[in-house]
Amino acid sequence: MKASRAALLLRRTTLLPVAFVLSGCATNRMTQSGFLVDYNQLKPSQFKNLHLYTAPGFDPSQVASASIEAPSIVGTSKRLADMSDDNKRLLVEHLRAAVSARMQAITPTSGATRTVRVRSALTDFDSPNRTVNAALTLLTGPVTTGGASLEVEVVDAATGERLVAASCFETGNVVTDFMASYSLLGHAKLAIDQCLERFAAAYERRSAAKP
């Protein structure tokens, strides 16, 4: 029994440096993919990892309806290029559903007449190393993460005027997003949700702060 415990301790001690070397956060960051026409207007916001532009005088509470366009995948990263068509479809569907849910949750004021189009794109993606995470589950727990980067734009449906634009990214957390650490797309989907939560919060805050 003592020999077995000693062997286990030795194995863990040997693997700890390996776990340290293999550990790592997702590498996706804020993007300028070309999906948005002008990135110079975007400025850091009070929300984490969210750069934002809002047209002067725009009041989201005056928006009566929003048309959600099919999201795009735009970017030059090898991770996007190597993603399978099925996984691209799953992330695009998740992005569209998340955008739709956030926009539908915003209640227009009485008499609102403006109609907008909401464009969005997945511009970078990363996935956890599931093999490493599984191998180190009993030793340290998962040590690698995934994530996603997005760009979003709200334009006036009648005039094409840019009303709101944003670039956002997020990465996974091996503690709070523990189970997603063993999923190829888990951290990316959570990153999409978190980015859109911040975008919606910034968008709705504009309604509360009338110009």
Side-chain angles (χ1 to χ4, degrees):
M1 182 65 71
K2 290 183 178 180
S4 297
R5 288 180 178 176
L8 179 60
L9 179 60
L10 177 62
R11 180 167 176 260
R12 289 183 174 179
T13 303
T14 303
L15 285 175
L16 277 173
V18 177
F20 177 78
V21 171
L22 293 175
S23 63
C25 296
T27 57
N28 59 286
R29 291 295 181 265
M30 202 78 68
T31 58
Q32 293 188 7
S33 70
F35 177 75
L36 302 176
V37 175
D38 185 356
Y39 291 88
N40 292 328
Q41 292 180 318
L42 274 64
K43 305 299 179 184
S45 72
Q46 66 188 94
F47 297 94
K48 179 184 176 184
N49 300 336
L50 176 71
H51 287 187
L52 185 72
Y53 164 78
T54 304
F58 172 58
D59 179 3
S61 69
Q62 295 302 312
V63 173
S65 64
S67 173
I68 312 300
E69 296 189 357
S72 304
I73 293 182
V74 182
T76 59
S77 77
K78 188 175 186 299
R79 293 181 294 271
L80 283 178
D82 291 344
M83 193 190 309
S84 71
D85 289 342
D86 284 344
N87 286 331
K88 288 179 181 178
R89 176 180 54 80
L90 289 172
L91 285 182
V92 164
E93 289 176 352
H94 186 85
L95 176 55
R96 182 167 191 167
V99 170
S100 180
R102 291 297 170 190
M103 296 304 295
Q104 289 177 3
I106 300 172
T107 304
T109 59
S110 176
T113 59
R114 198 166 203 169
T115 301
V116 299
R117 294 184 293 111
V118 184
R119 306 171 60 240
S120 61
L122 175 69
T123 55
D124 202 359
F125 155 84
D126 205 354
S127 61
N129 188 321
R130 293 171 294 163
T131 301
V132 170
N133 285 350
L136 297 175
T137 295
L138 297 180
L139 177 64
T140 62
V143 295
T144 70
T145 63
S149 303
L150 312 177
E151 294 176 15
V152 185
E153 187 174 54
V154 179
V155 299
D156 187 285
T159 66
E161 178 191 0
R162 170 193 260 190
L163 302 174
V164 181
S167 180
C168 180
F169 79 93
E170 190 51 84
T171 58
N173 184 303
V174 295
V175 177
T176 58
D177 308 329
F178 180 83
M179 293 306 298
S181 303
Y182 302 96
S183 166
L184 181 66
L185 304 181
H187 282 166
K189 288 182 176 180
L190 288 170
I192 289 171
D193 293 341
Q194 290 166 6
C195 277
L196 289 173
E197 283 177 10
R198 293 168 196 158
F199 174 77
Y203 185 88
E204 290 182 279
R205 183 158 295 189
R206 185 68 184 174
S207 296
K210 307 289 185 185

